[in-house]
Amino acid sequence: MNVISELPEIFEEFAEKKKESFLKIKEYKDRKIPVIGAYCSYFPRELATAMGAIPIGLCSSSDETVKIAEKVLPANVCPLVKSSYGFAISDRCPYFHFSDLIVGETTCDGKKKMYEMMAEFKDVYVMELPNVQSERGLQLWREEIIRLKQYLEDKFQIVITEENIREAIQKENARRLSMKRLYEVMKLDPVPISGEELLTVLYGNKYEFDMEMAKKKIEDLTDKILKEYEILPTREKCPRILITGCPIGGDSMKIVKAIEQNGGVVVAFENCTGAKVLDEIIDESNPDVYAAIARKYFRIGCAVMTPNHHRVELLGRMIDEFKVDGVVEMVLSGCHSVHMESIGIRNFVSEEKHLPYTSVVTDYSQGDIEQLNTRMAAFVEMLKMK
């Protein structure tokens, strides 16, 4: 497909951001600025931001450390857990190395046990995430957020005021809104950029630690995309595909490439890297800052939640707004919650939205690339024939 000709260097810049941030995180450490690492979208970044710390996503989506982890972990454990633990025990993730604290959460059983093992050599704090979508669950999650705030105050010998938290909420909301504005350019038909380029930015932007700079770069990029879209001549129209399922990025980018190298275009990511965590912002008018934070994060539609109405609602809305022709669900092998929930997602997409759906069970290795190409080529061809 044709893409905007003057933008490739900008996308390369985002792709290189992770490498550059390795050095930057050490600078923060040298300046005695706390670094708080996390793996999951349920981590309330606002508390870290409120205390002046750097919240950072930890390395977790590469095949290079899976074999290292398998020397300790069972081979049939989820590749996300193996990759994460492999980076940790081999000290190959600078963010993990320089983190003063790792904040975990009780999502899947594999991660819970991983945090136990990590705690043997790293300071780990685990938040108890209720898995039932209820008002009682929401109240429990609010209490957990307060408990984390108190732990941070004790550990770092600081005071986190409600005013600090409100300021952090405003900053994080502004960051989310800038990212949301970017991924919504894919509502245009034909699209102005490829799904691979979009995911590169979404994935790479989290390694820009200066929040104002991160917001400005995203806003500038979005402005440039829209400006060039107005003057660029004809573009090729392709079947529009939404990807849902497990967190996507790193070595799982192969799914996006398989779709787009075979005639489709990924217009939306419902996964954690995309809309799942960016779609909603925190209510800044709520007088109870802890309840406001709790509600935003508790509504993240992860498959560990039951019943998971929020995921279905978001998925249905995105299918309509992004004019989706078909849905591809990525399931990481061993991720039982997503694999089980894929039954309901398939039924929703096929029976209620009347769209083609396919699921792909994979890991971070490159051994199934040819199979992926064959399957995605057939899926895209089917969409073209509709």
Side-chain angles (χ1 to χ4, degrees):
M1 63 175 291
N2 296 322
V3 294
I4 294 176
S5 58
E6 297 181 18
L7 289 172
E9 290 184 6
I10 298 177
F11 293 123
E12 284 296 322
E13 180 182 323
F14 279 96
E16 293 296 318
K17 179 56 65 178
K18 184 176 180 180
K19 296 178 183 178
E20 295 175 12
S21 64
F22 290 168
L23 299 176
K24 192 68 177 177
I25 204 73
K26 185 179 184 304
E27 291 179 21
Y28 284 117
K29 287 293 295 182
D30 291 342
R31 290 161 51 191
K32 309 300 182 184
I33 297 176
V35 177
I36 300 178
Y39 291 100
C40 186
S41 300
Y42 285 105
F43 168 54
R45 293 171 50 94
E46 287 73 15
L47 294 186
T49 301
M51 61 172 277
I54 304 298
I56 182 67
L58 301 173
C59 310
S60 61
S61 55
S62 171
D63 191 53
E64 70 171 292
T65 56
V66 168
K67 292 297 182 184
I68 297 172
E70 286 179 343
K71 295 177 181 178
V72 180
L73 305 181
N76 61 351
V77 168
C78 164
L80 182 66
V81 171
K82 289 190 289 187
S83 178
S84 303
Y85 190 70
F87 271 113
I89 60 174
S90 64
D91 203 22
R92 295 191 183 192
C93 178
Y95 311 122
F96 186 93
H97 177 85
F98 287 116
S99 289
D100 298 286
L101 174 69
I102 307 300
V103 177
E105 74 305 315
T106 56
T107 46
C108 76
D109 292 339
K111 287 172 74 177
K112 285 188 287 187
K113 290 302 174 183
M114 178 185 75
Y115 293 136
E116 284 184 27
M117 298 170 72
M118 282 183 176
E120 297 176 4
F121 56 90
K122 194 74 173 180
D123 194 353
V124 177
Y125 179 92
V126 178
M127 300 184 74
E128 296 181 33
L129 175 69
N131 295 150
V132 177
Q133 284 286 346
S134 65
E135 284 303 313
R136 177 58 180 154
L138 177 60
Q139 179 61 31
L140 290 171
W141 185 232
R142 177 186 177 277
E143 293 171 6
E144 278 300 290
I145 289 172
I146 294 174
R147 191 167 71 94
L148 173 61
K149 177 248 188 188
Q150 293 169 342
Y151 178 86
L152 294 174
E153 290 179 321
D154 291 342
K155 176 177 174 58
F156 294 100
Q157 292 298 291
I158 57 169
V159 175
I160 304 174
T161 67
E162 288 197 8
E163 185 59 32
N164 295 147
I165 297 174
R166 291 191 185 281
E167 291 176 3
I169 287 173
Q170 292 173 353
K171 290 179 181 178
E172 291 288 350
N173 275 349
R175 180 186 65 86
R176 290 187 186 101
L177 287 172
S178 67
M179 298 286 279
K180 185 175 181 179
R181 179 172 173 253
L182 170 65
Y183 76 67
E184 286 185 343
V185 305
M186 303 302 277
K187 292 181 179 179
L188 296 169
D189 189 14
V191 294
I193 60 175
S194 70
E196 182 180 353
E197 289 166 333
L198 174 63
L199 185 57
T200 296
V201 177
L202 293 175
Y203 192 72
N205 185 250
K206 66 181 180 179
Y207 298 109
E208 175 59 71
F209 306 127
D210 184 326
M211 207 172 304
E212 287 300 318
M213 180 61 68
K215 176 174 168 288
K216 184 178 185 308
K217 285 184 176 181
I218 291 296
E219 289 174 343
D220 289 347
L221 174 60
T222 306
D223 289 342
K224 186 173 182 61
I225 290 172
L226 293 174
K227 181 179 179 181
E228 294 200 10
Y229 186 80
E230 292 179 356
I231 62 175
L232 199 67
T234 58
R235 296 169 181 78
E236 179 185 353
K237 295 190 69 166
C238 305
R240 301 168 64 85
I241 294 172
L242 177 148
I243 295 183
T244 184
C246 290
I248 189 167
D251 285 348
S252 57
M253 179 76 85
K254 63 184 179 180
I255 303 287
V256 183
K257 292 181 178 179
I259 292 170
E260 299 195 326
Q261 290 173 3
N262 287 285
V265 59
V266 179
V267 297
F269 297 92
E270 186 270 335
N271 321 62
C272 284
T273 315
K276 196 184 294 290
V277 294
L278 299 171
D279 181 68
E280 293 191 15
I281 62 172
I282 295 174
D283 181 5
E284 297 178 14
S285 66
N286 192 328
D288 185 339
V289 293
Y290 306 107
I293 294 173
R295 183 167 294 276
K296 182 266 181 295
Y297 283 96
F298 198 59
R299 285 175 58 84
I300 292 175
C302 178
V304 301
M305 290 294 181
T306 183
N308 196 8
H309 300 312
H310 298 307
R311 181 185 178 194
V312 174
E313 185 276 329
L314 175 59
L315 185 59
R317 183 155 44 85
M318 292 182 73
I319 285 173
D320 295 338
E321 293 178 0
F322 288 83
K323 301 182 286 289
V324 170
D325 297 312
V327 173
V328 173
E329 181 154 20
M330 186 193 80
V331 180
L332 289 174
S333 57
C335 185
H336 304 307
S337 55
V338 172
H339 210 167
M340 287 290 290
E341 191 167 272
S342 68
I343 300 167
I345 295 299
R346 178 193 62 209
N347 293 339
F348 170 73
V349 173
S350 302
E351 298 174 10
E352 294 193 33
K353 305 306 290 185
H354 308 292
L355 289 178
Y357 163 96
T358 189
S359 64
V360 175
V361 180
T362 187
D363 54 21
Y364 295 135
S365 71
Q366 303 301 296
D368 61 351
I369 287 180
E370 289 305 316
Q371 181 186 30
L372 285 174
N373 276 317
T374 300
R375 288 194 59 190
M376 292 303 101
F379 188 68
V380 170
E381 189 61 30
M382 178 188 66
L383 297 180
K384 288 180 178 179
M385 295 172 63
K386 285 193 65 181

